[in-house]
């Protein structure tokens, strides 16, 4: 597929299917706006979710409709600042004033520059129209940026298909005691930062953290597994550099989850993921069978069917074979 910057505006229509490259470009735009403070963390998470699930150019355009996307962004994603009615008004204003100036020049340019007076009076009205038009476009953009259901009746918490990665620092209590609070805080912050970086690299983001545990969500199981592998490599580098022996247990599960009023994820999928993580050995990544099935190109070792505490149905677990 041609790079979308090389296509003419007439070569792309809103209903055309977007490519992975198109979605990645919009994700980059969202991250740039988050870094500049235009989007909160929750807003970024919500829009990334919509962008990664978008199928057409129209879907992607809604995600960034109210954001300044910069000169490097494709033209199909740029927002029109004014309504069609104002643009027609402005064209009529320009054409009429050009005609008046031509008449003034043709009649010998006498009696002063009289076209100035209708231009000034009409220009004031055009300025008011511009402000109203911009306000209307901004309001439309805010509505559409959240997707087509944002203006309809409220349906309660949204159920979403997600892959969740849960990470836990093995032996964190003893590690904290041996390092002291200050060094433990610094070590935890470095681990969390590297895990966030790994998640973002594969289209995921952090949902929350508590104590020595971290939760991330991803649009696909394969993305979660690859992020976990990157996270384990980063943790091993930290362990070697700091001589702390720090390691992580990781568990991954995929299924439906509900985002509650605090924009947190809740549901059985997270409970299963937490129990899978609890079965992992230090430095190990355990996944459920559906995750392994949806992770092409990654090798796994069978860990058998296990009873998970508090989960009624036994689960077939597999361990990621890292390169």
């Amino acid at each position: 597929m041609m790079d979308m910057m090389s296509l003419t505006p007439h070569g792309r229509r809103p209903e055309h299917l977007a490519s992975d490259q198109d979605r990645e470009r919009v994700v980059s735009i969202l991250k740039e706006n988050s870094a500049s403070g235009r989007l909160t963390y929750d807003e970024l998470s919500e829009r990334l979710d919509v962008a990664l699930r978008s199928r057409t150019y129209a879907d992607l355009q809604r995600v960034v409709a109210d954001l300044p996307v910069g000169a490097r962004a494709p033209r199909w994603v740029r927002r029109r600042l004014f309504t069609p009615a104002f643009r027609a008004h402005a064209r009529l204003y320009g054409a009429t004033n050009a005609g008046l100036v031509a008449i003034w020049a043709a009649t010998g340019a006498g009696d002063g520059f009289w076209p100035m007076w209708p231009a000034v009076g009409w220009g004031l009205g055009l300025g008011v129209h511009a402000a109203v038009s911009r306000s209307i476009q901004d309001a439309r953009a805010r509505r559409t940026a959240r997707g087509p259901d944002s203006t309809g009746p409220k349906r309660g918490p949204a159920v979403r298909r997600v892959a969740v990665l849960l990470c836990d620092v093995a032996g964190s209590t003893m590690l904290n005691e041996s390092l002291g609070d200050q060094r433990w805080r610094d070590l935890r912050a470095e681990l969390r930062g590297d895990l966030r970086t790994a998640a973002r690299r594969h289209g995921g983001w952090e949902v929350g953290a508590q104590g020595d545990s971290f939760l991330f969500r991803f649009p696909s199981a394969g993305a979660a597994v690859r992020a976990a592998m990157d996270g384990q490599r980063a943790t091993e580098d930290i362990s070697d550099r700091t001589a702390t022996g720090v390691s992580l247990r990781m568990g991954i599960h995929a299924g439906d989850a509900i985002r509650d009023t605090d924009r947190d994820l809740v549901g059985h999928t997270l409970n299963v993921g937490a129990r899978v993580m609890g079965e992992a050995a230090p430095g190990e990544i355990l996944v459920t069978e559906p995750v392994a099935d949806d992770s092409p190109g990654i090798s796994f070792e069978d860990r058998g069917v296990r009873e998970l505490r508090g989960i009624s149905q036994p689960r077939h677990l597999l361990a990621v074979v890292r390169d």
Side-chain angles (χ1 to χ4, degrees):
M1 179 176 290
M2 294 177 63
D3 182 82
M4 60 188 175
M5 285 296 290
S6 66
L7 296 173
T8 65
H10 300 292
R12 296 183 299 272
R13 298 185 62 83
E15 66 272 16
H16 286 175
L17 292 178
S19 68
D20 288 340
Q21 184 180 9
D22 300 332
R23 281 183 281 270
E24 290 172 2
R25 189 61 176 276
V26 170
V27 166
S28 177
I29 292 169
L30 291 173
K31 290 180 178 179
E32 289 174 3
N33 278 274
S34 176
S36 63
R38 296 187 184 97
L39 292 176
T40 66
Y41 175 75
D42 286 339
E43 290 169 339
L44 174 64
S45 297
E46 181 175 346
R47 295 193 192 207
L48 283 174
D49 190 28
V50 175
L52 293 169
R53 292 186 293 107
S54 294
R55 299 187 68 252
T56 66
Y57 286 112
D59 295 335
L60 288 173
Q61 189 168 0
R62 293 190 188 99
V63 180
V64 293
D66 61 337
L67 298 175
V69 296
R72 294 184 296 108
R75 280 174 288 180
W76 60 265
V77 91
R78 293 180 186 151
R79 172 169 62 95
R80 293 186 181 273
L81 299 179
F82 301 105
T83 62
F86 171 79
R87 294 196 296 273
H89 186 180
R91 286 193 294 269
L92 178 61
Y93 173 79
T96 301
N97 281 288
L100 293 177
V101 171
I103 294 172
W104 171 78
T107 57
D111 299 326
F113 187 61
W114 55 263
M116 176 183 67
W117 302 112
V120 170
W122 192 352
L124 292 174
L126 186 67
V128 173
H129 193 174
V132 173
S133 174
R134 181 65 180 272
S135 177
I136 291 173
Q137 290 296 82
D138 287 345
R140 287 174 177 172
R142 284 191 294 271
R143 288 197 303 269
T144 59
R146 293 184 293 272
D149 292 337
S150 61
T151 57
K154 301 299 181 182
R155 294 179 173 84
V159 177
R160 300 176 184 271
R161 183 76 177 179
V162 297
V164 294
L165 164 64
L166 294 99
C167 312
D168 177 72
V169 180
S172 60
T173 301
M174 294 180 61
L175 193 59
N176 186 357
E177 184 175 357
S178 65
L179 295 177
D181 290 343
Q182 181 63 46
R183 286 193 63 198
W184 163 246
R185 188 190 69 173
D186 294 342
L187 178 65
R188 179 184 179 277
E190 187 173 3
L191 286 170
R192 186 178 185 183
D194 284 350
L195 290 171
R196 283 177 170 175
T197 299
R200 287 194 297 266
R201 187 181 301 126
H202 296 280
W205 54 95
E206 186 181 45
V207 175
Q210 185 173 10
D212 59 351
S213 299
F214 312 98
L215 169 62
F216 299 87
R217 60 177 291 190
F218 296 84
S220 69
V225 173
R226 290 180 173 85
M229 294 168 71
D230 286 353
Q232 288 287 25
R233 281 190 285 268
T235 302
E236 290 170 356
D237 290 342
I238 293 174
S239 176
D240 292 341
R241 178 166 43 80
T242 61
T244 56
V246 63
S247 61
L248 295 178
R249 293 191 296 263
M250 293 184 173
I252 303 174
H253 182 52
D256 293 336
I258 295 177
R259 188 172 58 189
D260 66 12
T261 55
D262 294 327
R263 297 188 177 181
D264 195 6
L265 286 179
V266 297
H268 188 61
T269 296
L270 272 73
N271 295 333
V272 174
R275 298 311 182 201
V276 172
M277 179 190 70
E279 293 290 311
E284 187 176 45
I285 306 169
L286 282 187
V287 307
T288 54
E289 187 172 356
V291 172
D293 290 341
D294 291 337
S295 302
I298 300 174
S299 300
F300 298 89
E301 290 182 352
D302 192 356
R303 291 291 188 264
V305 177
R306 299 190 188 181
E307 298 278 352
L308 302 179
R309 182 168 60 87
I311 306 299
S312 59
Q313 181 180 354
R315 300 284 173 162
H316 182 198
L317 303 185
L318 303 96
V320 175
V321 177
R322 293 167 50 200
D323 299 334

